[in-house]
Amino acid sequence: MPPPLIELVSIAKTYKTGKTEVPALQDINLEIEAGEVFGVIGPSGAGKSSLLRLINLLEKPTSGRLRADALELTALNPAGLRRWRRQVGMIFQHFNLLTSKTVAENVALPLRFAGIRRGPELRERVTELLARFDLSTLAQRYPAQLSGGQKQRVGIARALACRPKILLCDEPTSALDPQTTKAVLALLNAINREFGLTIVLITHEMDVIRQVCDRVAVLDGGRCVEVGPVAEVLLHPRHPATRRLVLESEKVDETEQGKDLAQSGGPIFRLTLRGEATYEPLLGSVAQAAGVDYSILSGRIDRIKGVPYGQLTLALVGGDLSTALAQFAERGVHVERLR
């Protein structure tokens, strides 16, 4: 296996406010593979932005080791740091476009900082990026003349100007409406597939993680409390902080859910189905074979990066319970007993 593109080992970050030390990150250990979309989620104040800013060393860790692309980042001299930052693009929550520059000038800015100040190389690269992100007709407009989605497309084009290996995304959709959010996430997915770009994305929106990420880390109170493939973490959360985020995204009130479960007779199970099994007439055939009755207490169907999944909470009564559970297992259904 190739080494991870980005590796954080025992990373801690502490800020000082006067004489007070405020820990933002504590004992963070993460590996991010080349070419994956890696999400970082957590509530406000969890340390997400601090973690993102460490990767391009806008912030330096207080302790721990930070490696990327076989480089020990904290050991880089100023020239080495400048070279590294050219390999890292960044897009922002509020776009961070220069209001006095046109769309074309904003996209050209990283190239100028990299020493490509004029001539055919600059023009060709800007023209290529404007065309790729459907911005050619907007080249001479200013940010104030653009919609939120257009501004974010300019931000993405600018971030890719120097052909980076890594794209850092700081809450890239939280300032956008739902339709524009969907379009921007589809664009990030396309960029990942087309260029093999490694994307690190922080968000507080679980739907963003579902739509674009391969793996996810959950931060809570400056610590990484859970990390793994998106389907595993979201469908079978282990840590209370992860469960809270999942329930909030599904608009489930834990107190009310508990009352509903308490009123149901028989043992209660949560079934998780993935892929085409999501649409199979499973319950009827299992109930008939095992002689059990069931009550559906809750259910949902959704997708994780385009792959459908379904989750059902059931009360099973009567019949041969062990046969029913065995049949679920034979069909690849993940079964979790809730009561």
Side-chain angles (χ1 to χ4, degrees):
M1 291 289 292
L5 181 63
I6 303 168
E7 186 178 11
L8 296 88
V9 181
S10 300
I11 288 290
K13 177 63 182 177
T14 300
Y15 296 97
K16 287 188 176 181
T17 305
K19 295 182 179 181
T20 304
E21 291 191 346
V22 181
L25 296 170
Q26 303 175 66
D27 196 29
I28 301 293
N29 293 278
L30 289 174
E31 293 183 351
I32 300 172
E33 306 296 336
E36 74 174 332
V37 183
F38 189 90
V40 180
I41 192 168
S44 297
K48 304 185 299 296
S49 293
S50 294
L51 178 62
L52 196 73
R53 289 166 65 85
L54 289 175
I55 295 174
N56 57 4
L57 286 188
L58 292 176
E59 300 278 1
K60 289 191 175 182
T62 305
S63 62
R65 294 177 55 240
L66 178 59
R67 292 176 57 83
D69 202 22
L71 297 172
E72 197 76 41
L73 296 187
T74 51
L76 293 176
N77 59 26
L81 183 56
R82 286 193 295 273
R83 285 193 296 272
W84 165 247
R85 284 177 174 158
R86 288 175 195 153
Q87 298 184 59
V88 183
M90 191 161 183
I91 62 175
F92 301 88
Q93 177 179 3
H94 296 294
F95 321 122
N96 282 24
L97 302 179
L98 297 183
T99 58
S100 61
K101 301 287 187 183
T102 65
V103 166
E105 289 168 337
N106 269 283
V107 172
L109 200 62
L111 296 165
R112 295 185 185 279
F113 283 136
I116 307 170
R117 301 192 177 278
R118 57 180 62 84
E121 185 179 359
L122 178 70
R123 291 194 299 273
E124 287 171 11
R125 181 60 177 157
V126 171
T127 300
E128 175 189 352
L129 288 163
L130 294 177
R132 172 62 185 80
F133 296 106
D134 296 324
L135 296 166
S136 299
T137 59
L138 308 176
Q140 300 308 313
R141 292 192 187 180
Y142 290 87
Q145 300 170 299
L146 305 178
S147 69
Q150 290 168 339
K151 290 177 184 177
Q152 197 58 289
R153 294 210 313 273
V154 176
I156 294 171
R158 180 184 61 186
L160 298 181
C162 291
R163 294 183 171 87
K165 291 184 176 181
I166 298 167
L167 180 62
L168 306 181
C169 303
D170 185 0
E171 300 273 10
T173 61
S174 61
L176 303 175
D177 62 76
Q179 185 175 357
T180 307
T181 291
K182 187 175 181 180
V184 168
L185 294 179
L187 186 56
L188 291 177
N189 260 328
I191 289 168
N192 172 249
R193 292 193 305 268
E194 185 176 340
F195 302 114
L197 197 64
T198 303
I199 298 177
V200 183
L201 181 152
I202 69 169
T203 183
H204 63 275
E205 300 174 272
M206 195 62 81
D207 279 343
V208 171
I209 298 293
R210 285 191 186 96
Q211 290 182 55
V212 298
C213 295
D214 301 303
R215 291 194 303 134
V216 62
V218 182
L219 295 191
D220 187 56
R223 295 184 179 275
C224 181
V225 297
E226 197 160 353
V227 62
V230 169
E232 184 64 28
V233 172
L234 270 57
L235 298 181
H236 313 298
R238 293 183 174 88
H239 194 274
T242 312
R243 287 196 292 272
R244 283 196 303 272
L245 289 168
V246 171
L247 290 173
E248 287 170 7
S249 74
E250 295 174 359
K251 298 180 173 58
V252 174
D253 184 315
E254 270 192 287
T255 303
E256 294 301 319
Q257 184 186 57
K259 291 178 182 178
D260 292 339
L261 297 184
Q263 293 177 15
S264 302
I268 297 174
F269 299 88
R270 179 184 291 120
L271 310 184
T272 303
L273 308 92
R274 297 184 63 197
E276 293 306 313
T278 304
Y279 306 113
E280 292 179 2
L282 178 70
L283 291 181
S285 59
V286 171
Q288 185 176 13
V292 297
D293 290 326
Y294 60 87
S295 298
I296 299 177
L297 306 179
S298 67
R300 72 192 306 262
I301 293 177
D302 209 329
R303 290 175 177 266
I304 293 177
K305 208 164 185 182
V307 177
Y309 73 87
Q311 283 196 312
L312 292 172
T313 302
L314 305 176
L316 298 178
V317 182
D320 188 342
L321 183 59
S322 60
T323 296
L325 297 179
Q327 294 227 345
F328 286 136
E330 286 175 8
R331 291 175 165 131
V333 178
H334 182 279
V335 180
E336 177 187 1
R337 184 161 185 166
L338 303 182
R339 190 191 71 188

